[in-house]
Amino acid sequence: MAQIVVDIADMRISKNPGDTLITYSLGSCVGVAIYDPVIGLGGMIHCMLPLSKVDREKAQVRPYMFVDTGMQQMLTRLYEGGLRKARAVIHVAGGSQVLDSQGVFKIGERNFTVLRKILWKNGLLMETQEVGGNRSRTISLDIGTGRFTIKSGGRITHYDLP
C-alpha cells in the first residue's frame, strides 16, 4: 500500500486501489478530496490562498497554491480521468484560524467561501465538510475503498461511501 503525500500547494490524483492520498497540517489552508466510486478515481488538493489574482505569476508556476486556479485544474484532470459529476463524492476540511486568532485576515474563511462558489458553479455538492475553528487537521483518502479520514486534536473520524 502506497501513501502519497499531497504537500502544501500541491495536488495528486490516483486510480490505484493500493494508494492512500494524505495531506498534513491543514490550518487556514483548505483540503479537498474528490472520489468517483464507480471507477475508483480520487484526487486531493491542499490550497493555501483563495484567489490567484494576488500573484498571477506565482499562480502560473504553482496553480494549486490558490483555491480558484487549483480547483479548476484538479476538476479538469479528474474529468479527463473519467470522473462524472453525478458520482463525485467530495470531502472538505481545513479553513481554520490557527495563526489568526483575532480573525484579522480570515484566510481560512475566505478559502472555504471561494471553494463553495467553485463547487456550486460546477454543479457539485460536498458530502462532508469539517471547516473553521482553530485547530489543524490531517486528511486522507483511501483510493481502494473511498474512505475519507480526518485526524484532529487526537480525534479520528472516518467517512465511508454513502
Side-chain angles (χ1 to χ4, degrees), residues 19-92:
D19 288 348
T20 297
L21 304 177
I22 187 166
T23 194
Y24 298 95
S25 301
L26 289 165
S28 62
C29 296
V30 66
V32 182
I34 302 177
Y35 187 72
D36 185 327
V38 173
I39 61 172
L41 174 70
M44 182 178 286
I45 192 168
H46 185 142
C47 300
M48 293 174 61
L49 298 168
L51 299 170
S52 58
K53 69 181 180 183
V54 299
D55 193 337
R56 296 270 185 216
E57 288 179 24
K58 186 164 275 191
Q60 290 293 319
V61 177
R62 299 189 72 191
Y64 306 122
M65 177 179 284
F66 304 96
V67 175
D68 62 345
T69 53
M71 280 301 299
Q72 284 305 137
Q73 284 199 20
M74 181 167 97
L75 288 171
T76 297
R77 293 217 19 228
L78 287 168
Y79 290 141
E80 289 170 353
L83 175 82
R84 298 293 173 254
K85 285 183 186 184
R87 301 187 308 237
V89 180
I90 303 171
H91 305 282
V92 178

Side-chain angles (χ1 to χ4, degrees), residues 23 39 50 62 86 102 130 146 150 153 155:
T23 194
I39 61 172
R62 299 189 72 191
Q102 301 301 313
E130 186 178 305
I150 300 174
R155 181 177 58 97

Side-chain angles (χ1 to χ4, degrees), residues 9 13 21 23 63 73 75 100-101 104-105 107-109 119:
I13 291 175
L21 304 177
T23 194
Q73 284 199 20
L75 288 171
D100 184 23
S101 60
V104 175
F105 300 105
I107 293 172
E109 183 179 316
L119 293 175

Side-chain angles (χ1 to χ4, degrees), residues 7 53 82 89 102 110 124 158:
D7 291 322
K53 69 181 180 183
V89 180
Q102 301 301 313
R110 290 175 25 224
L124 297 165
H158 299 290

